[in-house]
Amino acid sequence: MENLIIAGKTYSSRLLVGTGKYQDFDQTRRAIETSGAEIVTVAIRRTNIGQNAGEPSLLDSVPPSKYTYLPNTAGCYSADDAIRTLRLARELLDGHDLVKLEVLGDPQTLYPNVVETLKAAEILVKDGFKVMVYTSDDPIIARQLENIGCVAIMPLASLIGSGMGILNPWNLQIIIENAKVPVIVDAGVGTASDAAIAMELGCDGVLMNTAIAGANNPVLMASAMKKAVEAGREAFLAGRMAKKLYSASPSSPTTGLIGK
Amino acid sequence: MIELIINGAPQQFPTPLTAALLIERLMLTGKRVAIELNGEIVPRSQFNETLLNNGDSLEIVVAVGGG
C-alpha cells in the first residue's frame, strides 16, 4: 500500500492509535504491536510525586525509539493550557515537534472548542510545532486550520469514546476533497467497519483509542482495525462500482446456456 | 525554609535548591520529566543552574497513556 506522509515524514501504516485505557502496559504493548501503528498518541500529566518511584512507565512498553510519539492536549479546555502542555511535551521528548492539538469545549461531550483550537494552532505553528489538529467536521474550520499551517486535519467521526461510527460522511467528504494535507478521522470509530468506511471515503488515516482498548479482546480488535484500515484504503484506491438499483447485467455469460 | 508549589501542592524545603536537586529530592532521578517554572519551560540542560526560590510554582510532567 502506498505510504502516508505527514509533515514530510513517511509512514507505512495509516492506523494511528492511542495508548490509554488499557488494562496494563503489557496489554498496551501487545495491542499496539498488533495494530501495526507507527504513530501513537500519549498524554502529558503531572508526575505522581513520591508515589511511583521504580514503577514501570509507558515509555518502557511503547518506547519512543520504536514509535513516533504524538503528545496530545487531551483534557485541555483553553488555548493557553494546550500550548503550555505541548511546550512541556516538546521538552520532555527532546525537541520532538509533531503534536496532536485538541482543545475541548465541554466535559460531557468532549466536543472540540474550535475557537480556542484555532487560537492555539496559530501560536503553535508560529512556535515551530507540526500540528495535527483534532476538530469538528466543519469544512470551513478545517480549511482555516489548514491555512494556519496545520500538518494534518483530524475531524471527529462522532464524539470521543462514543463508538458511534461515521455520523456525517458528507461533511468528511467535503473536508477530504478540499484539504491538501492529510485528513485523519479522529474519534468515534467503534468497530472495524467504521474504520473501513472512513478509509473508503478517502481519509488518509484513522486515529483511535477506545475502539481497541475498550473491546473485550483489545489485541484481536487491533488486528481487525489494521485489516479494516488497509481494506478500506485499497477499496478507495480501487474505486468502487456504481450503486444501481438494478444492473440487468449478470456476472455470468448470457450465452452458451444449456438446453437452448 | 522555602516553599515551592509543585504540581499545585505546596512543599517546604530547608534551603533554596536547584531544579536538579529537586528532582533528586522528589525521587525522580532517571525518570523522563519536563519542568515548567512559573509558566516557562526549564530545559533539562539547565536543571543544574536553575535555582528555585520561595513561592516558585512548578509543573513536573511525564508522558502517560492517552488517546
Side-chain angles (χ1 to χ4, degrees):
Chain A
M1 205 160 45
E2 92 300 16
N3 291 320
L4 169 64
I5 299 170
I6 301 172
K9 202 177 160 197
T10 300
Y11 303 91
S12 55
S13 171
R14 291 176 179 273
L15 174 58
L16 294 73
V17 298
T19 56
K21 297 186 179 173
Y22 287 98
Q23 259 167 24
D24 51 42
F25 286 136
D26 185 56
Q27 191 185 60
T28 314
R29 178 186 59 75
R30 286 183 296 126
I32 289 171
E33 268 177 18
T34 305
S35 76
E38 295 160 286
I39 300 178
V40 300
T41 62
V42 298
I44 305 299
R45 288 292 179 272
R46 286 171 162 174
T47 180
N48 214 354
I49 305 279
Q51 285 172 34
N52 57 355
E55 205 178 78
S57 106
L58 179 71
L59 289 95
D60 304 321
S61 315
V62 186
S65 53
K66 190 172 164 191
Y67 296 96
T68 297
Y69 268 30
L70 189 62
N72 69 23
T73 59
C76 291
Y77 286 83
S78 69
D80 188 49
D81 282 349
I83 292 162
R84 283 174 67 194
T85 299
L86 292 178
R87 285 183 177 150
L88 278 162
R90 181 166 61 181
E91 175 57 26
L92 187 71
L93 300 170
D94 303 321
H96 175 82
D97 54 11
L98 185 72
V99 296
K100 170 179 162 179
L101 171 65
E102 66 179 281
V103 186
L104 304 175
D106 176 298
Q108 186 87 45
T109 61
L110 304 178
Y111 203 81
N113 179 332
V114 294
V115 175
E116 290 295 303
T117 303
L118 284 162
K119 257 195 252 174
E122 191 132 23
I123 293 167
L124 289 165
V125 168
K126 278 194 189 132
D127 200 6
F129 284 95
K130 299 186 178 95
V131 180
M132 299 174 68
V133 61
Y134 171 64
T135 183
S136 66
D137 59 9
D138 180 332
I140 306 305
I141 299 294
R143 186 171 66 198
Q144 289 178 341
L145 288 165
E146 183 177 349
N147 289 344
I148 285 171
C150 291
V151 299
I153 306 300
M154 305 204 291
L156 50 75
S158 47
L159 298 179
I160 292 175
S162 72
M164 292 287 281
I166 316 287
L167 296 187
N168 194 340
W170 318 111
N171 271 30
L172 290 179
Q173 243 170 350
I174 295 170
I175 293 172
I176 292 162
E177 263 183 45
N178 292 330
K180 289 175 193 68
V181 296
V183 175
I184 293 167
V185 154
D186 180 2
V189 164
T191 188
S193 53
D194 298 333
I197 289 169
M199 296 307 292
E200 286 171 12
L201 287 172
C203 285
D204 297 280
V206 180
L207 197 168
M208 64 181 74
N209 192 151
T210 314
I212 296 176
N216 283 337
N217 183 338
V219 178
L220 192 55
M221 188 56 90
S223 167
M225 290 300 186
K226 178 181 199 274
K227 292 168 185 158
V229 167
E230 288 174 2
R233 181 65 183 175
E234 287 184 357
F236 169 72
L237 293 174
R240 61 153 299 148
M241 63 165 285
K243 284 184 186 176
K244 295 169 275 191
L245 191 53
Y246 302 100
S247 80
S249 161
S251 301
S252 305
T254 50
T255 56
L257 288 146
I258 61 161
K260 293 226 167 168
Chain B
M1 180 78 80
I2 67 158
E3 185 174 274
L4 304 175
I5 312 295
I6 302 172
N7 290 349
Q11 276 200 51
Q12 273 97 35
F13 296 88
T15 54
L17 71 175
T18 62
L21 202 57
L22 178 70
I23 292 292
E24 212 179 294
R25 294 275 168 83
L26 297 176
M27 296 187 299
L28 295 171
T29 308
K31 281 210 157 219
R32 193 190 274 255
V33 297
I35 299 182
E36 184 196 69
L37 169 60
N38 301 326
E40 300 291 330
I41 300 292
V42 183
R44 211 170 304 151
S45 59
Q46 288 171 28
F47 281 5
N48 276 322
E49 300 97 84
T50 304
L51 194 65
L52 305 173
N53 297 303
N54 191 37
D56 279 350
S57 178
L58 295 107
E59 295 286 348
I60 307 179
V61 300
V62 293
V64 302

XYZ file of all heavy atoms in Angstrom, chain B residues 7-62:
428
model
N 3.244 20.995 41.274
C 2.021 20.381 40.724
C 0.794 20.753 41.555
O -0.044 19.917 41.867
C 2.179 18.853 40.629
C 3.170 18.469 39.542
O 3.570 19.315 38.743
N 3.571 17.213 39.509
N 0.757 22.006 41.931
C -0.406 22.544 42.621
C -0.398 22.392 44.127
O -1.271 22.943 44.797
N 0.583 21.664 44.684
C 0.602 21.451 46.138
C 1.859 22.083 46.746
O 2.954 21.917 46.211
C 0.570 19.954 46.441
N 1.690 22.827 47.869
C 2.867 23.445 48.489
C 3.768 22.415 49.181
O 3.264 21.449 49.766
C 2.252 24.401 49.523
C 0.878 23.881 49.782
C 0.440 23.117 48.573
N 5.073 22.607 49.050
C 6.039 21.730 49.732
C 7.160 22.602 50.280
O 7.614 23.523 49.602
C 6.637 20.721 48.739
C 5.789 19.482 48.526
C 6.610 18.324 47.948
O 7.670 17.985 48.473
N 6.133 17.737 46.873
N 7.603 22.280 51.512
C 8.676 23.065 52.127
C 10.027 22.381 51.954
O 10.109 21.150 51.971
C 8.408 23.262 53.621
C 7.532 24.470 53.938
C 6.086 24.082 54.117
O 5.794 23.014 54.629
N 5.174 24.952 53.694
N 11.047 23.220 51.802
C 12.419 22.720 51.731
C 13.263 23.600 52.647
O 13.015 24.810 52.758
C 12.932 22.785 50.290
C 12.157 21.879 49.369
C 10.998 22.325 48.742
C 12.564 20.563 49.145
C 10.258 21.489 47.920
C 11.835 19.723 48.316
C 10.692 20.179 47.696
N 14.256 23.004 53.333
C 15.034 23.761 54.323
C 15.828 24.908 53.703
O 15.980 25.958 54.337
C 15.967 22.714 54.940
C 15.878 21.503 54.064
C 14.610 21.581 53.306
N 16.316 24.716 52.477
C 17.134 25.764 51.847
C 16.742 25.883 50.383
O 16.170 24.933 49.829
C 18.640 25.394 51.901
O 18.780 24.089 51.304
C 19.181 25.386 53.308
N 17.080 27.021 49.759
C 16.862 27.106 48.314
C 17.621 25.978 47.610
O 18.666 25.540 48.105
C 17.445 28.471 47.929
C 17.418 29.265 49.190
C 17.638 28.270 50.299
N 17.086 25.503 46.508
C 17.746 24.380 45.831
C 17.598 24.525 44.324
O 16.760 25.295 43.838
C 17.207 23.035 46.335
C 15.808 22.568 45.979
C 15.600 21.170 46.506
C 14.734 23.475 46.526
N 18.429 23.785 43.598
C 18.356 23.828 42.135
C 17.291 22.849 41.660
O 16.874 21.955 42.406
C 19.696 23.423 41.487
O 19.981 22.073 41.877
C 20.833 24.343 41.904
N 16.900 22.988 40.383
C 15.931 22.070 39.796
C 16.488 20.647 39.823
O 15.752 19.691 40.087
C 15.610 22.498 38.372
N 17.790 20.521 39.572
C 18.413 19.189 39.573
C 18.292 18.536 40.949
O 17.970 17.348 41.064
C 19.882 19.303 39.159
N 18.521 19.333 41.981
C 18.447 18.799 43.353
C 16.997 18.452 43.714
O 16.732 17.457 44.405
C 19.022 19.833 44.329
C 19.496 19.283 45.680
C 20.553 18.184 45.489
C 20.072 20.406 46.540
N 16.089 19.258 43.228
C 14.674 18.988 43.486
C 14.272 17.632 42.897
O 13.577 16.838 43.542
C 13.797 20.092 42.891
C 12.290 19.875 43.058
C 11.861 20.023 44.512
C 11.489 20.828 42.176
N 14.729 17.373 41.675
C 14.436 16.101 41.007
C 14.916 14.938 41.883
O 14.230 13.934 42.066
C 15.137 16.056 39.622
C 14.496 17.072 38.673
C 15.138 14.660 39.015
C 13.089 16.745 38.268
N 16.101 15.139 42.468
C 16.688 14.117 43.329
C 15.836 13.934 44.592
O 15.492 12.811 44.968
C 18.095 14.588 43.698
C 19.103 13.483 43.900
C 20.448 14.092 44.244
O 21.037 14.777 43.369
O 20.903 13.900 45.401
N 15.467 15.064 45.214
C 14.658 15.030 46.446
C 13.304 14.355 46.214
O 12.761 13.709 47.092
C 14.402 16.449 46.960
C 15.614 17.172 47.431
C 15.932 16.829 48.899
N 17.247 17.313 49.247
C 17.510 18.569 49.615
N 16.525 19.443 49.710
N 18.730 18.948 49.897
N 12.752 14.563 45.019
C 11.433 14.006 44.719
C 11.523 12.569 44.211
O 10.524 11.983 43.801
C 10.705 14.882 43.681
C 10.393 16.315 44.110
C 9.777 17.089 42.952
C 9.457 16.351 45.313
N 12.734 12.028 44.235
C 12.985 10.652 43.788
C 12.565 10.452 42.329
O 11.974 9.436 41.972
C 12.273 9.658 44.710
C 12.822 9.713 46.124
S 12.168 8.429 47.197
C 10.454 8.774 47.179
N 12.859 11.449 41.523
C 12.537 11.362 40.095
C 13.796 11.192 39.252
O 13.740 11.265 38.025
C 11.787 12.634 39.648
C 10.409 12.855 40.260
C 9.876 14.234 39.910
C 9.432 11.779 39.811
N 14.919 10.960 39.917
C 16.176 10.814 39.197
C 16.061 9.689 38.164
O 15.556 8.610 38.475
C 17.327 10.486 40.187
O 17.301 11.459 41.225
C 18.684 10.524 39.502
N 16.506 9.973 36.956
C 16.484 8.944 35.914
C 15.157 8.843 35.196
O 15.039 8.177 34.170
N 14.134 9.494 35.733
C 12.822 9.492 35.063
C 12.802 10.581 34.011
O 13.410 11.628 34.184
C 11.708 9.781 36.079
C 11.343 8.580 36.894
C 9.881 8.652 37.304
C 9.365 7.275 37.618
N 8.043 7.016 37.186
N 12.072 10.314 32.931
C 11.944 11.345 31.914
C 10.834 12.302 32.334
O 9.661 11.939 32.328
C 11.618 10.705 30.569
C 11.786 11.664 29.400
C 11.213 11.047 28.169
N 12.167 10.203 27.480
C 12.770 10.565 26.350
N 12.531 11.735 25.816
N 13.596 9.736 25.751
N 11.236 13.500 32.761
C 10.260 14.504 33.183
C 10.558 15.824 32.463
O 11.648 16.030 31.949
C 10.289 14.764 34.712
C 9.921 13.518 35.495
C 11.633 15.312 35.158
N 9.573 16.684 32.421
C 9.791 18.055 31.957
C 9.273 18.995 33.027
O 8.325 18.671 33.744
C 9.076 18.302 30.636
N 9.931 20.136 33.134
C 9.577 21.095 34.187
C 9.204 22.445 33.587
O 9.891 22.961 32.701
C 10.762 21.297 35.176
C 11.124 19.976 35.869
C 10.426 22.365 36.216
C 12.236 20.101 36.887
N 8.113 22.978 34.110
C 7.745 24.361 33.815
C 7.856 25.125 35.131
O 7.318 24.701 36.158
C 6.297 24.384 33.296
C 5.812 25.746 32.866
C 4.290 25.785 32.735
O 3.590 25.699 33.769
O 3.796 25.884 31.596
N 8.591 26.239 35.090
C 8.804 27.044 36.291
C 8.144 28.402 36.090
O 8.538 29.147 35.173
C 10.315 27.200 36.549
C 10.753 28.217 37.607
C 10.178 27.897 38.977
C 12.279 28.307 37.662
N 7.161 28.712 36.887
C 6.403 29.970 36.762
C 5.976 30.216 35.319
O 6.098 31.324 34.787
C 7.230 31.152 37.284
C 7.628 30.958 38.738
O 6.882 30.373 39.521
N 8.821 31.414 39.085
N 5.508 29.158 34.672
C 4.971 29.301 33.321
C 5.979 29.182 32.193
O 5.606 29.207 31.026
N 7.273 29.054 32.531
C 8.306 28.939 31.489
C 8.969 27.564 31.563
O 9.244 27.062 32.657
C 9.392 30.015 31.683
C 8.887 31.447 31.617
C 8.433 31.861 30.213
O 8.986 31.335 29.218
O 7.504 32.684 30.127
N 9.260 27.005 30.382
C 9.943 25.716 30.334
C 11.373 25.856 30.859
O 12.068 26.814 30.525
C 10.004 25.196 28.875
C 8.598 25.011 28.299
C 10.838 23.927 28.770
C 7.795 23.902 28.929
N 11.795 24.908 31.675
C 13.203 24.848 32.069
C 13.851 23.705 31.279
O 13.533 22.540 31.528
C 13.364 24.562 33.580
C 14.840 24.588 33.975
C 12.560 25.543 34.412
N 14.724 24.029 30.326
C 15.371 22.943 29.569
C 16.153 22.032 30.514
O 16.733 22.512 31.492
C 16.313 23.681 28.613
C 15.796 25.080 28.551
C 15.160 25.346 29.877
N 16.144 20.734 30.195
C 16.832 19.767 31.053
C 18.304 20.148 31.243
O 18.871 19.948 32.305
C 16.717 18.369 30.440
C 16.697 17.259 31.458
C 16.347 15.943 30.808
N 15.070 16.025 30.102
C 14.760 15.298 29.037
N 15.611 14.441 28.547
N 13.576 15.431 28.453
N 18.873 20.722 30.195
C 20.298 21.097 30.256
C 20.544 22.199 31.281
O 21.692 22.439 31.665
C 20.755 21.562 28.876
O 19.970 22.667 28.461
N 19.474 22.857 31.735
C 19.655 23.956 32.698
C 19.195 23.604 34.118
O 19.160 24.462 34.987
C 18.902 25.198 32.213
C 19.589 25.849 31.015
C 18.741 26.951 30.402
O 17.935 27.586 31.084
N 18.912 27.167 29.107
N 18.892 22.328 34.339
C 18.432 21.919 35.681
C 19.471 22.257 36.754
O 19.134 22.654 37.858
C 18.134 20.409 35.731
C 16.796 20.025 35.131
C 15.994 20.960 34.496
C 16.348 18.710 35.205
C 14.773 20.599 33.935
C 15.124 18.334 34.660
C 14.340 19.283 34.019
N 20.744 22.083 36.390
C 21.809 22.296 37.379
C 21.943 23.758 37.784
O 22.268 24.062 38.927
C 23.150 21.806 36.822
C 23.303 20.307 37.035
O 22.905 19.781 38.069
N 23.840 19.625 36.036
N 21.694 24.663 36.833
C 21.893 26.093 37.120
C 20.629 26.787 37.609
O 20.687 27.930 38.041
C 22.356 26.862 35.869
C 23.658 26.414 35.244
C 23.412 25.482 34.077
O 23.178 25.963 32.962
O 23.442 24.251 34.291
N 19.474 26.093 37.480
C 18.222 26.783 37.805
C 17.952 26.741 39.306
O 17.657 25.688 39.869
C 17.055 26.146 37.032
O 17.370 26.188 35.648
C 15.757 26.894 37.280
N 18.063 27.911 39.947
C 17.833 27.993 41.381
C 16.355 28.294 41.640
O 15.777 29.197 41.022
C 18.720 29.094 41.986
C 18.830 29.066 43.517
C 19.528 27.786 43.991
C 19.562 30.294 44.023
N 15.770 27.532 42.538
C 14.348 27.710 42.844
C 14.211 28.586 44.090
O 14.943 28.405 45.063
C 13.694 26.340 43.075
C 13.888 25.366 41.907
C 13.367 23.980 42.276
C 13.204 25.879 40.646
N 13.272 29.516 43.997
C 13.109 30.484 45.084
C 11.774 30.324 45.781
O 10.840 29.745 45.219
C 13.231 31.907 44.529
C 14.609 32.153 43.951
O 15.614 32.000 44.639
N 14.658 32.486 42.670
N 11.704 30.881 46.961
C 10.474 30.830 47.750
C 9.285 31.317 46.914
O 9.359 32.361 46.268
C 10.636 31.711 48.996
C 9.504 31.483 49.975
O 9.029 30.351 50.135
N 9.056 32.553 50.616
N 8.213 30.530 46.901
C 6.994 30.934 46.188
C 6.944 30.498 44.734
O 5.926 30.701 44.064
N 8.036 29.926 44.228
C 8.031 29.470 42.830
C 6.973 28.392 42.620
O 6.723 27.570 43.508
C 9.404 28.885 42.443
C 10.403 29.975 42.082
O 9.978 31.141 41.943
O 11.600 29.655 41.945
N 6.403 28.422 41.432
C 5.390 27.429 41.092
C 5.918 26.540 39.970
O 6.367 27.029 38.932
C 4.120 28.158 40.645
O 3.159 27.221 40.267
N 5.886 25.229 40.191
C 6.439 24.294 39.207
C 5.393 23.286 38.754
O 4.550 22.853 39.538
C 7.616 23.505 39.813
C 8.845 24.315 40.186
C 8.936 24.432 41.687
C 10.087 23.680 39.605
N 5.490 22.949 37.492
C 4.744 21.806 36.967
C 5.783 20.783 36.533
O 6.718 21.112 35.782
C 3.883 22.201 35.756
C 2.772 23.192 36.063
C 1.593 22.586 36.829
O 1.510 21.341 36.930
O 0.764 23.366 37.347
N 5.644 19.570 37.018
C 6.568 18.495 36.624
C 5.728 17.410 35.970
O 4.817 16.858 36.606
C 7.336 17.939 37.840
C 8.020 19.080 38.596
C 8.364 16.899 37.395
C 8.785 18.649 39.832
N 5.990 17.136 34.694
C 5.112 16.234 33.944
C 5.866 15.049 33.349
O 7.088 15.077 33.193
C 4.375 16.986 32.803
C 3.526 18.119 33.335
C 5.363 17.480 31.751
N 5.079 14.017 33.061
C 5.582 12.811 32.393
C 4.616 12.471 31.255
O 3.520 13.021 31.175
C 5.648 11.606 33.364
C 6.700 11.819 34.434
C 4.288 11.346 34.007
